[in-house]
């Protein structure tokens, strides 16, 4: 208890400086951020280059970015919804071949929304947080008297027609007003603002823990803007790892997920050649398991509290995600005996469902530090 109080004091002292010492902050966060006082929420914003080290600039930057996000919502969700509510142009119709046709954009958006929604609904399905109502809903989108009724109808009827929806006592689905719904809108905005990449399956697993952390901030003045803040932190993070979501780079030896899997295999061979050779003997290719581990930053391999702890270290990693490769190697080395003694189907099941191993995360992280 005394040691933990000392850690809380260390975070308090570091974050209360007029200019934050990044080296000290990285060291503290690498060993885990406390939940208390919103320390994790604040630290992640700094480590993901959303907040500068000069604390005196925070207020101005946050106001500017949150205002910009509100502009994105208005421009890409509210205004199109109002136009659609007013009806399409008379000379426009669903079969119009004109690339500027409103209907063409409408159908394309629906396809994207359908994919995002399917993925978001798989986000931590056992965690009530994503199903509960958000504490700070966007009035323009969810209010019953809103002029942007079309957006809700598109999501509920056009996009989600194959899904079962919860309906409130007024006969309206309440999905849009949940944290799940706001994760959907954040990804929708990101996809529209990055047309060269758009939305790729798995991005929901990257956004989820960020949004959860910010929306769980005990400070209401920060929690209120969790959606905007998570959008920009997600965007910054994607700028760093976007190559691993580009399919054409999957086999590239210099960048992309192919390069990361090659580094992972080399690291494992350097640290435990016997285990590496056994994996080769089983023909257990990294594409079968490490592809997901590396692409999604281990967000599907551990319960959410453990994912948050892992991401403390990953975001604090000065070499940006080299430690991720060390953790992946440590995971295999933690189940070394099973891999050596079991057959291919058993080992495959284990590495594709690592939670079944019930290996303590602290043991994995300690081994990863040794590997590093």
């Amino acid at each position: 208890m005394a040691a933990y109080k000392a850690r809380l004091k260390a975070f308090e002292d570091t974050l209360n400086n007029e200019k934050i010492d990044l080296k000290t902050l990285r060291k503290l966060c690498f060993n885990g951020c406390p939940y208390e006082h919103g320390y994790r929420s604040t630290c992640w914003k700094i480590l993901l280059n959303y907040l500068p080290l000069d604390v005196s600039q925070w207020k101005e930057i946050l106001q500017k970015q949150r205002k910009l996000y509100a502009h994105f919502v208005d421009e890409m969700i509210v205004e199109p919804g109002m136009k659609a509510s007013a009806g399409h142009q008379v000379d426009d119709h669903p079969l119009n071949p004109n690339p500027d046709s409103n209907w063409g954009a409408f159908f394309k958006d629906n396809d994207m929304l359908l994919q995002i929604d399917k993925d978001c609904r798989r986000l931590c399905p056992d965690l009530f947080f994503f199903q509960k109502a958000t504490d700070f809903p966007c009035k323009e989108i969810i209010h019953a008297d809103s002029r942007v009724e079309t957006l809700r109808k598109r999501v509920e009827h056009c996009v989600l027609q194959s899904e079962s929806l919860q309906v409130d006592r007024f006969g309206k689905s309440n999905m849009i007003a949940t944290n799940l719904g706001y994760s959907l809108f954040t990804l929708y905005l990101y996809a529209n603002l990055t047309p060269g990449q758009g939305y790729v399956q798995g991005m929901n697993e990257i956004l989820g823990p960020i949004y959860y952390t910010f929306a769980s901030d005990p400070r209401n003045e920060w929690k209120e803007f969790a959606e905007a803040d998570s959008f920009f932190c997600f965007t910054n993070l994607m700028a760093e790892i976007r190559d691993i979501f580009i399919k054409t780079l999957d086999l590239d030896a210099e960048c992309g997920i192919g390069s990361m899997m090659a580094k992972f295999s080399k690291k494992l061979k350097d640290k435990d050649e016997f285990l590496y050779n056994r994996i080769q003997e089983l023909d257990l290719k990294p594409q079968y398991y490490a592809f997901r581990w590396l692409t999604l930053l281990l967000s599907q391999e551990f319960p959410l509290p453990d994912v948050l702890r892992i991401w403390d270290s990953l975001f604090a990693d000065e070499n940006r995600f080299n430690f991720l490769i060390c953790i992946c190697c440590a995971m295999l080395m933690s189940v070394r005996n099973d891999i050596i003694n079991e057959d291919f189907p058993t080992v495959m099941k284990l590495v594709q469902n690592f939670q079944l191993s019930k290996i303590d995360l602290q043991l994995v992280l300690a081994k990863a530090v040794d590997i590093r």
Side-chain angles (χ1 to χ4, degrees):
M1 179 62 72
Y4 189 71
K5 287 183 177 180
R7 277 186 54 74
L8 287 176
K9 184 66 166 57
F11 272 91
E12 179 184 359
D13 292 343
T14 301
L15 293 173
N16 281 343
N17 287 325
E18 292 182 3
K19 189 165 185 179
I20 293 171
D21 185 319
L22 183 58
K23 184 177 180 180
T24 300
L25 185 70
R26 285 188 188 278
K27 185 176 181 181
L28 286 171
C29 294
F30 186 83
N31 293 314
C33 297
Y35 170 78
E36 287 90 344
H37 312 300
Y39 286 149
R40 172 175 281 138
S41 173
T42 302
C43 290
W44 282 18
K45 291 179 176 74
I46 298 170
L47 296 173
L48 291 174
N49 302 312
Y50 181 50
L51 290 178
L53 299 179
D54 187 344
V55 177
S56 67
Q57 298 177 11
W58 286 10
K59 183 177 180 180
E60 180 182 354
I61 288 175
L62 288 173
Q63 287 178 343
K64 178 182 176 182
Q65 294 300 91
R66 290 164 177 174
K67 183 177 180 181
L68 178 60
Y69 184 78
H71 171 72
F72 289 154
V73 171
D74 188 61
E75 182 180 25
M76 282 174 261
I77 296 180
V78 177
E79 289 183 6
M82 293 172 63
K83 291 178 181 178
S85 294
H88 294 283
Q89 298 174 7
V90 176
D91 60 348
D92 199 5
H93 55 83
L95 300 181
N96 187 349
N98 189 326
D100 296 328
S101 167
N102 290 328
W103 283 101
F106 180 84
F107 291 137
K108 185 178 180 180
D109 271 0
N110 276 357
D111 290 340
M112 179 174 63
L113 280 168
L114 175 60
Q115 185 61 63
I116 295 175
D117 173 74
K118 285 182 178 179
D119 292 345
C120 282
R121 285 177 179 271
R122 290 193 286 263
L123 186 62
C124 299
D126 297 330
L127 192 65
F128 175 67
F129 169 82
F130 287 102
Q131 279 71 48
K132 75 172 185 177
T134 182
D135 293 328
F136 297 96
C138 178
K139 298 177 181 179
E140 290 81 5
I141 294 176
I142 69 161
H143 275 192
D145 58 352
S146 171
R147 293 172 294 171
V148 199
E149 188 74 13
T150 298
L151 180 64
R152 186 194 300 132
K153 289 183 180 298
R154 280 180 59 194
V155 176
E156 294 178 3
H157 298 182
C158 298
V159 182
L160 311 182
Q161 56 186 346
S162 62
E163 303 285 348
S164 59
L165 295 171
Q166 293 180 334
V167 177
D168 64 19
R169 60 193 179 93
F170 299 107
K172 295 183 180 295
S173 164
N174 58 15
M175 189 282 293
I176 301 302
T178 65
N179 287 308
L180 179 71
Y182 279 88
S183 298
L184 183 150
F185 289 133
T186 301
L187 292 169
Y188 174 76
L189 291 177
Y190 175 81
N192 275 279
L193 288 166
T194 56
Q197 181 180 45
Y199 174 77
V200 179
Q201 269 189 293
M203 288 182 178
N204 58 304
E205 302 290 346
I206 303 297
L207 172 64
I210 297 174
Y211 179 79
Y212 173 85
T213 297
F214 295 172
S216 301
D217 195 309
R219 302 163 296 181
N220 280 337
E221 66 271 21
W222 288 77
K223 183 191 297 187
E224 180 178 358
F225 299 99
E227 184 188 350
D229 294 345
S230 62
F231 170 82
F232 288 109
C233 286
F234 171 77
T235 300
N236 290 349
L237 178 57
M238 287 305 305
E240 297 186 34
I241 64 173
R242 67 184 299 273
D243 286 354
I244 65 178
F245 282 91
I246 299 177
K247 188 175 179 60
T248 55
L249 297 178
D250 284 358
L251 301 178
D252 196 303
E254 300 298 326
C255 58
I257 189 60
S259 173
M260 287 196 71
M261 287 193 293
K263 291 177 182 177
F264 160 69
S265 295
K266 183 179 184 304
K267 177 73 74 173
L268 181 64
K269 184 177 182 180
D270 291 343
K271 297 300 180 180
D272 194 334
E273 189 169 3
F274 186 87
L275 178 60
Y276 171 83
N277 289 335
R278 172 56 179 164
I279 290 174
Q280 295 296 107
E281 179 185 324
L282 288 171
D283 197 26
L284 188 66
K285 301 183 185 301
Q287 290 90 332
Y288 299 158
Y289 61 99
F291 183 96
R292 187 178 73 187
W293 291 6
L294 295 167
T295 302
L296 304 183
L297 309 183
L298 297 172
S299 59
Q300 288 190 328
E301 314 314 317
F302 296 91
L304 183 59
D306 286 351
V307 172
L308 302 183
R309 171 61 191 89
I310 291 171
W311 284 19
D312 290 338
S313 295
L314 295 187
F315 294 164
D317 181 9
E318 192 171 0
N319 296 315
R320 275 315 197 206
F321 308 119
N322 280 353
F323 190 59
L324 174 62
I325 292 174
C326 297
I327 297 177
C328 293
C329 290
M331 289 166 65
L332 291 182
M333 295 167 72
S334 298
V335 292
R336 189 176 192 271
N337 290 337
D338 294 305
I339 295 175
I340 291 173
N341 297 314
E342 300 293 347
D343 57 10
F344 176 84
T346 303
V347 175
M348 174 68 84
K349 182 179 180 180
L350 178 61
V351 296
Q352 289 190 334
N353 300 274
F354 191 78
Q355 291 191 46
L356 296 177
S357 69
K358 297 183 180 179
I359 298 294
D360 184 79
L361 175 62
Q362 294 306 316
L363 296 177
V364 174
L365 290 176
K367 185 66 177 176
V369 171
D370 289 341
I371 293 172
R372 186 183 66 158

